[in-house]
Amino acid sequence: KEQIIDGVTNDIKQYSLDSYLFKIRYLVEQNEHLRQALADRDRDLLYQLALPRYQFMQGENPYFLAMEFNLPDGTVFLRVQNPELYGDNISATRPLVANVHKDRQQRSGFDVCKQGAMFWVAQPIVHQGEYLGLVEFGIDGRQLEKALAESLASDVTCVLKLNQWQKEELARQGFQVHNDYALMTRNKSFLDQIASSIDFSRLEDQQVVLNGKPHILHSCALLQDYQKDVVGRMVMLQDISEQVTRKKTFILHTLLLTAGMLGVAFVVLYYSFETLIGRLEEYSRENKKAKEELQIAHDKLEDRV
């Protein structure tokens, strides 16, 4: 089961998320007019040029939520999905953005936002040797969650690690918060009944009991930020009651078979040892008799001498 989960997760990441690393680079490198509009700080023209591409990618993938242009000082110049909202500086809350501005290299990874987990890809924009800023693509993390649930035919829930403002914001939105972690579901989740017995800080699989049956809580996929630090994971429960029952039955049968074999071995050895001891006693009597006869012959020989 674990191998199947890993295979499905890798396929989803490769074909559903990593493809945006190439799409965003192509958007920047093959569109001189877009770069020029950003260089001229022409927000209206930039919006007109970017909107058709945003709409195309959103039509291609309904989980494609954001295309944003960010200036070198961290100020949002244009949110294509919300053109009326701009001018705020996000460098302090978005380490990925600050890192791209610093190193001017493409970066990608998950981040915890107000709506939950988001996969971000940021591409630096350089025009005629001048660094203009960056463009970001944002994909809703629920795409990975849904794809895993459909592929594994099981309930999958996203668990996110939170800082203080994220904890307050997600709790305010109605998500379940347990210490520094949030379950990204507003409805009743399969984890509700056992959340208190789960150590969410552990990344490895855990065995839990649900409705009196043993289950394995799998970490289906680790959500890593641009530095490869884990900011969340997808979890799935696997009912192992049937396997545990088979294991107990196997152990019981093995014990019974072993006990039977030991009993048979005991009986066989008992009679074998009884026969062996009888023969040894007979050999001992014959040996004693031979010694007595030898002693008599020796005495007679001495008398004759």
Side-chain angles (χ1 to χ4, degrees):
K1 190 71 172 184
E2 192 73 38
Q3 291 174 351
I4 293 173
I5 290 173
D6 291 341
V8 171
T9 300
N10 291 333
D11 288 343
I12 293 172
K13 285 183 176 179
Q14 180 178 355
Y15 297 109
S16 297
L17 298 179
D18 291 349
S19 61
Y20 287 101
L21 276 65
F22 304 98
K23 292 179 180 180
I24 197 170
R25 182 180 292 116
Y26 180 84
L27 172 73
V28 171
E29 294 177 353
Q30 302 300 319
N31 198 317
E32 183 179 355
H33 296 297
L34 186 145
R35 298 197 304 270
Q36 187 63 54
L38 182 61
D40 296 337
R41 297 295 191 265
D42 190 335
R43 184 177 291 106
D44 293 336
L45 178 57
L46 183 62
Y47 176 69
Q48 294 175 15
L49 294 172
L51 181 60
R53 290 159 178 79
Y54 170 77
Q55 291 174 335
F56 173 80
M57 282 186 281
Q58 194 172 49
E60 183 182 58
N61 179 5
Y63 293 96
F64 185 88
L65 297 185
M67 179 189 291
E68 302 180 2
F69 292 86
N70 195 274
L71 300 180
D73 63 355
T75 301
V76 176
F77 183 71
L78 172 67
R79 288 183 172 94
V80 181
Q81 72 279 7
N82 190 1
E84 304 300 324
L85 181 62
Y86 61 88
D88 52 314
N89 194 301
I90 61 174
S91 293
T93 57
R94 296 287 309 286
L96 181 147
V97 171
N99 184 268
V100 174
H101 285 318
K102 177 183 176 182
D103 296 342
R104 300 182 184 181
Q105 299 289 329
Q106 185 190 84
R107 294 286 185 266
S108 65
F110 283 91
D111 194 9
V112 179
C113 303
K114 292 181 179 180
Q115 59 268 52
M118 287 280 287
F119 181 75
W120 291 98
V121 184
Q123 176 68 32
I125 302 176
V126 178
H127 183 61
Q128 297 179 355
E130 179 186 0
Y131 177 65
L132 305 177
L134 60 83
V135 59
E136 276 193 299
F137 287 172
I139 299 92
D140 194 335
R142 286 177 294 181
Q143 178 180 5
L144 179 60
E145 181 179 339
K146 182 179 179 182
L148 277 170
E150 292 177 349
S151 300
L152 301 173
S154 181
D155 291 333
V156 176
T157 293
C158 180
V159 178
L160 297 179
K161 185 177 181 180
L162 311 175
N163 58 33
Q164 188 58 38
W165 78 262
Q166 294 166 344
K167 188 187 304 185
E168 294 173 356
E169 176 62 27
L170 294 179
R172 186 183 63 80
Q173 295 187 48
F175 294 106
Q176 300 179 52
V177 176
H178 300 272
N179 296 324
D180 293 332
Y181 296 85
L183 303 181
M184 299 310 297
T185 173
R186 291 185 178 88
N187 301 322
K188 196 165 182 63
S189 167
F190 62 87
L191 292 180
D192 289 354
Q193 302 177 44
I194 55 175
S196 60
S197 63
I198 297 175
D199 183 359
F200 289 104
S201 64
R202 288 177 53 188
L203 299 180
E204 63 271 17
D205 295 346
Q206 302 178 55
Q207 184 165 335
V208 295
V209 177
L210 177 62
N211 297 327
K213 295 182 178 181
H215 290 70
I216 291 291
L217 182 68
H218 290 286
S219 292
C220 302
L222 300 181
L223 309 183
Q224 298 176 321
D225 64 11
Y226 75 100
Q227 292 180 312
K228 305 303 179 184
D229 293 330
V230 177
V231 297
R233 65 190 189 277
M234 301 294 176
V235 296
M236 184 202 78
L237 275 180
Q238 179 189 3
D239 186 348
I240 60 170
S241 56
E242 183 179 346
Q243 290 90 330
V244 171
T245 300
R246 288 205 303 264
K247 178 182 178 180
K248 290 180 178 178
T249 302
F250 172 78
I251 292 175
L252 178 61
H253 289 171
T254 302
L255 290 175
L256 292 175
L257 178 61
T258 302
M261 293 178 65
L262 287 174
V264 172
F266 176 79
V267 172
V268 171
L269 289 175
Y270 176 80
Y271 287 105
S272 298
F273 275 117
E274 189 177 66
T275 303
L276 178 61
I277 292 173
R279 290 179 179 177
L280 289 175
E281 290 177 345
E282 183 179 351
Y283 292 150
S284 178
R285 287 193 296 270
E286 292 178 353
N287 186 46
K288 183 178 180 180
K289 182 179 179 181
K291 284 184 178 180
E292 290 175 350
E293 292 178 349
L294 182 60
Q295 185 63 43
I296 293 172
H298 182 269
D299 294 341
K300 288 181 178 180
L301 180 59
E302 282 187 344
D303 292 343
R304 291 178 64 187
V305 170

